[in-house]
Amino acid sequence: MLGTRSLLRLAAGAAAGYVLAVRPWHLRWGADDREVHGEMAGDDLVRSPQYQATRAVTVDAPPAAVWAWVVRLGGYRPGGGTPEPPATEEALKVGDVLHPASDGTGYVVEQAGPPHTLVLAQRGENATTTCSISLRDLDGRTRMVCRVRIRAQPGVRGTAHLASMDLADFMAMRRQLLTIKERAESAH
């Protein structure tokens, strides 16, 4: 049976492994150094983030086809109401709310430049979060880069929010990027 010291060593080893190996990988999953360290639209909305992750995937479809899935899977609802995706890529505009909660809050479109740039921001009581998506044309294919930046409010609630987002953000964004890739490629 493991003693208290052994359990503490095991926990310390697991934490070190996560911080030194797993976390750096999931903060830049799929992205190259240029994408990780380069500027993206929306970076100015969260200055000095406490959390930043840049992830990327290459999609075998043109940016317009990928954009349509970014908008659909982003939960776009014009005016926060109808459940249908926009009929055209131009329908998404600054001020629209994606994933609206019952109180109308959610991710607000800060910048929309179809079919290449989408910047969303959520300003909550615990943190300000931005999600920037860039779609670069690669001769009929698309390089989709997504960056999440978070600046938490000082205090326990802000710190707890950051801690909860660390792994949850990776799992959600990776699934979203791969789903967009799969659907854009199969539709194209």
Side-chain angles (χ1 to χ4, degrees):
M1 187 153 157
L2 292 174
T4 302
R5 285 184 189 252
S6 295
L7 287 175
L8 288 174
R9 285 186 188 125
L10 182 63
Y18 174 75
V19 169
L20 297 174
V22 176
R23 189 170 193 266
W25 170 78
H26 83 64
L27 290 176
R28 59 173 296 150
W29 177 81
D32 63 30
D33 286 341
R34 184 175 42 91
E35 293 163 337
V36 169
H37 300 294
E39 290 185 24
M40 284 187 69
D43 281 354
D44 59 324
L45 297 175
V46 173
R47 299 198 185 274
S48 304
Q50 296 147 318
Y51 176 90
Q52 176 172 304
T54 305
R55 300 170 181 116
V57 66
T58 300
V59 182
D60 289 326
V66 176
W67 175 268
W69 285 105
V70 167
V71 173
R72 281 184 186 96
L73 294 176
Y76 175 70
R77 296 177 185 162
T82 62
E84 294 300 314
T88 66
E89 59 193 34
E90 290 81 21
L92 189 65
K93 63 186 179 310
V94 172
D96 285 341
V97 179
L98 278 68
H99 295 295
S102 59
D103 64 359
T105 61
Y107 280 92
V108 177
V109 176
E110 296 286 329
Q111 183 179 348
H116 299 287
T117 305
L118 179 62
V119 178
L120 308 171
Q122 184 176 45
R123 293 170 180 86
E125 61 183 61
N126 298 324
T128 297
T129 303
T130 58
C131 179
S132 302
I133 299 170
S134 170
L135 304 177
R136 287 193 340 261
D137 187 14
L138 301 174
D139 294 325
R141 297 167 58 215
T142 302
R143 185 66 174 164
M144 180 170 44
V145 181
C146 178
R147 176 170 292 158
V148 174
R149 291 168 60 102
I150 302 172
R151 181 76 187 166
Q153 296 298 323
V156 174
R157 291 176 69 182
T159 302
H161 178 77
L162 277 174
S164 70
M165 289 301 293
D166 196 72
L167 194 54
D169 170 64
F170 168 67
M171 294 186 317
M173 288 308 299
R174 182 177 183 275
R175 182 179 62 240
Q176 192 84 332
L177 289 172
L178 291 175
T179 300
I180 291 168
K181 173 184 171 63
E182 177 186 327
R183 292 192 181 173
E185 288 177 350
S186 66
H188 181 68

